[in-house]
Amino acid sequence: MRRKLAAGNWKMNGTASALTELGNLAYSCKSAKAEVLICPPATLLYRAANVCVDSKVNIGAQDCHSATYGAHTGDLSAEMLHDAGATAVILGHSERRADHGESDETVRAKAKTAIAAGLTAIICVGETLEDREAGKTLDVVRAQLAGSLPDDTSGTTVVVAYEPVWAIGTGKVPTVEQIAEVHNDLRASLVKRFGGETANAIRLLYGGSVKASNAKEIFAVAHVDGALVGGASLKAADFAPIVAALDASA
Ligand SMILES: O=C[C@H](O)COP(=O)(O)O
């Protein structure tokens, strides 16, 4: 049975005062059955890990460099993130694929480095509205999945997050039928490439305007093992109900 995962991506939000929210979340989630992960800005990683020590909340990062060290001004290595207390790292987020021209090959190289440093790689895939309207959703997601996952992927090293670009930050959410179609296809693609045992251990998250109000119906969809949440993860009062809905879906 795959353990459920509620992951929060704070994106470029939060200074030291935001650590109070993290403490509130740690308290709210003290009885959570699902794995809970918060990915704050890198500037808060170390302190966030200290706030959440001995709690049910793990801390993650939002990106890493594909190199292990060197002349990469402004970048952070996976080892540095692990050293700061991160247990996972989000890779290939559509905002990085778009803003930084990140290719599947770049994401795959970063994932290999992250896994080697002991981090779980949360690899994002998702179509644009143009892709969906052109009927290309499954083609796009299959290609990103194939190109972004390392060959030695396992259920403990990789999590896949399906995030339709047009649902991120917009309040628009695919229908449960649309989510089910993609998550079923993701699972089938994983089985085809890695075999059933490995594929069935890989958790599939949905991300894109997840809120307390829609979490229950999203978590009821087959092959949805949790969520990657942006805006609704910034406040404990918004994110804790999503964790509770995930626990109730188990
Ligand atoms: O990483 C999180 C996703 O981009 C979803 O963000 P959102 O919940 O604000 O739509």
Side-chain angles (χ1 to χ4, degrees):
M1 186 67 182
R2 298 181 293 272
R3 189 180 179 195
K4 305 287 188 179
L5 170 59
N9 176 10
W10 282 11
K11 303 188 180 181
M12 194 169 75
N13 297 293
T15 53
S17 60
L19 294 172
T20 304
E21 284 299 330
L22 197 54
N24 295 341
L25 181 68
Y27 179 79
S28 302
C29 294
K30 62 185 184 298
S31 303
K33 299 192 298 290
E35 180 180 352
V36 183
L37 177 77
I38 290 292
C39 301
T43 48
L44 292 178
L45 265 176
Y46 182 73
R47 285 180 286 182
N50 286 331
V51 165
C52 294
V53 69
D54 297 332
S55 83
K56 292 286 185 74
V57 180
N58 290 326
I59 298 303
Q62 298 177 22
D63 183 47
C64 70
H65 198 277
S66 57
T68 53
Y69 66 89
H72 304 287
T73 302
D75 282 309
L76 299 171
S77 71
E79 184 182 2
M80 292 171 181
L81 301 175
H82 186 268
D83 185 57
T87 61
V89 59
I90 299 168
L91 296 173
H93 192 284
S94 60
E95 291 156 359
R96 295 200 61 84
R97 289 177 185 265
D99 297 355
H100 301 270
E102 286 198 353
S103 65
D104 293 339
E105 291 72 24
T106 299
V107 175
R108 188 174 190 154
K110 290 184 173 187
K112 287 179 178 178
T113 304
I115 292 164
L119 300 176
T120 297
I122 301 176
I123 297 176
C124 301
V125 298
E127 82 284 2
T128 65
L129 186 59
E130 293 75 19
D131 294 328
R132 177 163 286 277
E133 290 176 342
K136 296 178 180 176
T137 296
L138 296 184
D139 292 338
V140 167
V141 168
R142 285 170 185 165
Q144 289 179 333
L145 190 76
S148 304
L149 267 59
D151 290 334
D152 59 352
T153 289
S154 76
T156 56
T157 62
V158 168
V159 172
V160 175
Y162 167 55
E163 297 204 317
V165 179
W166 51 274
I168 296 174
T170 63
K172 297 175 185 172
V173 180
T175 64
V176 290
E177 291 77 17
Q178 289 172 327
I179 296 173
E181 181 189 37
V182 174
H183 279 245
N184 288 335
D185 197 77
L186 284 171
R187 185 70 67 204
S189 295
L190 292 169
V191 169
K192 188 174 180 182
R193 178 173 176 190
F194 298 108
E197 187 175 350
T198 297
N200 287 321
I202 297 170
R203 289 175 290 184
L204 303 179
L205 308 182
Y206 168 77
S209 294
V210 175
K211 310 294 181 195
S213 58
N214 59 27
K216 181 179 178 183
E217 66 174 357
I218 291 170
F219 294 149
V221 176
H223 301 295
V224 172
D225 304 306
L228 181 52
V229 182
S233 70
L234 295 171
K235 299 288 184 190
D238 296 333
F239 195 55
I242 295 172
V243 176
L246 188 57
D247 276 353
S249 73

